[in-house]
Amino acid sequence: MIVRPETHQFESAAGIVLDAHVFKPTAEPAATVAFFHPGGFTMGDPTWGYRFAEAHLERSQAFVSLSYRHLTGELTIDDLLDDAEAGLDWVAGNVAGTSPVFSSGHSAGGYLAMVPVLRDISTAIVGMSLLAPVPRIGSSLQDRLPNGADPAQFDPAQVVSTRPVPAVFVHGRLDDLVPVEGSARLDQAWRDAGCRSKLVAIEGADHFFNHPILGDQAHEQLAEAIGWLAG
């Protein structure tokens, strides 16, 4: 049974107070994972990451589920990335201790776990374990980019060469919301950049991994990826 998390707060660069829910293993953590929840950039909270915590704790990995603002009003993708940057820095400075720090996320959270790291914002991150990540900002969210922004700078596949941090992409082959081809494209871009990368495609799984067996398999693969990345 998963232990109850410690709840903390941190501030983004804009002074926005955000939440961090921290799960700690009984022993000194071998690694620390900063996780961003799914929700299409418009919904969700740190409790949406709880189901991933147990597999990490079983491997002596600390797991921190982080909040970020949603795309409402005049907010842009950059605002959410600023929140993610602040969360990653907070985890590195307040939870990790001497353990290596990895970013992680599901769907929209997977995107937020990638881009700040590739921009060399959070240099403490040594690897990324991502579940069905949104691979780039599509046409439906183009108006949520900052005015005059170059869309290529929001495409992880096009900026990975600036800071090639190793990554594992876990994806369901039956995902019709964020198709597995997106992770395959990212995996190839990582390899082209000369960076360690691995694609784990789960047969029969869709985007949400709600299946009692396939869901557990996804959680296990995310946690196992940390060991592969650390190696």
Side-chain angles (χ1 to χ4, degrees):
M1 180 178 295
I2 297 178
V3 298
R4 291 180 61 85
E6 300 174 3
T7 56
H8 299 269
Q9 292 183 319
F10 63 96
E11 283 191 9
S12 71
I16 304 300
V17 177
L18 300 164
D19 296 323
H21 296 191
V22 181
F23 294 86
K24 292 182 177 179
T26 54
E28 189 70 18
T32 298
V33 179
F35 182 87
F36 297 94
H37 64 79
F41 303 106
T42 62
M43 66 184 78
D45 61 59
T47 65
W48 288 26
Y50 283 16
R51 63 179 180 151
F52 299 96
E54 186 170 11
H56 291 277
L57 293 176
E58 289 174 350
R59 292 163 175 78
S60 295
Q61 299 166 6
F63 181 86
V64 186
S65 191
L66 297 160
S67 70
Y68 51 89
R69 286 173 289 174
H70 300 153
L71 280 181
T72 57
E74 299 300 316
L75 292 182
T76 70
I77 292 292
D78 248 355
D79 294 314
L80 275 61
L81 292 170
D82 286 345
D83 295 348
E85 171 199 349
L88 293 169
D89 287 344
W90 184 87
V91 170
N94 295 275
V95 181
T98 59
S99 67
V101 186
F102 300 85
S103 64
S104 184
H106 181 194
S107 192
Y111 179 87
L112 296 177
M114 280 190 288
V115 176
V117 178
L118 300 177
R119 290 180 170 182
D120 204 18
I121 293 172
S122 187
T123 56
I125 305 303
V126 298
M128 295 178 275
S129 176
L130 308 165
L131 181 63
V134 170
R136 56 185 168 183
I137 298 302
S139 58
S140 64
L141 290 176
Q142 289 292 309
D143 62 341
R144 289 297 190 170
L145 296 178
N147 289 335
D150 178 3
Q153 295 303 307
F154 293 82
D155 182 349
Q158 295 194 53
V159 298
V160 62
S161 60
T162 62
R163 185 165 186 256
V165 178
V168 174
F169 304 95
V170 181
H171 217 117
R173 286 200 181 276
L174 298 184
D175 191 338
D176 59 1
L177 186 62
V178 180
V180 68
E181 287 77 14
S183 281
R185 172 178 175 269
L186 292 172
D187 176 56
Q188 187 60 55
W190 255 244
R191 294 171 184 271
D192 291 345
C195 189
R196 291 177 70 223
S197 179
K198 181 165 66 172
L199 173 63
V200 179
I202 299 178
E203 299 291 343
D206 63 9
H207 185 69
F208 298 102
F209 296 91
N210 289 328
H211 190 281
I213 296 175
L214 299 177
D216 288 345
Q217 185 177 340
H219 307 161
E220 294 289 326
Q221 290 287 353
L222 275 189
E224 289 179 9
I226 301 301
W228 184 85
L229 290 163

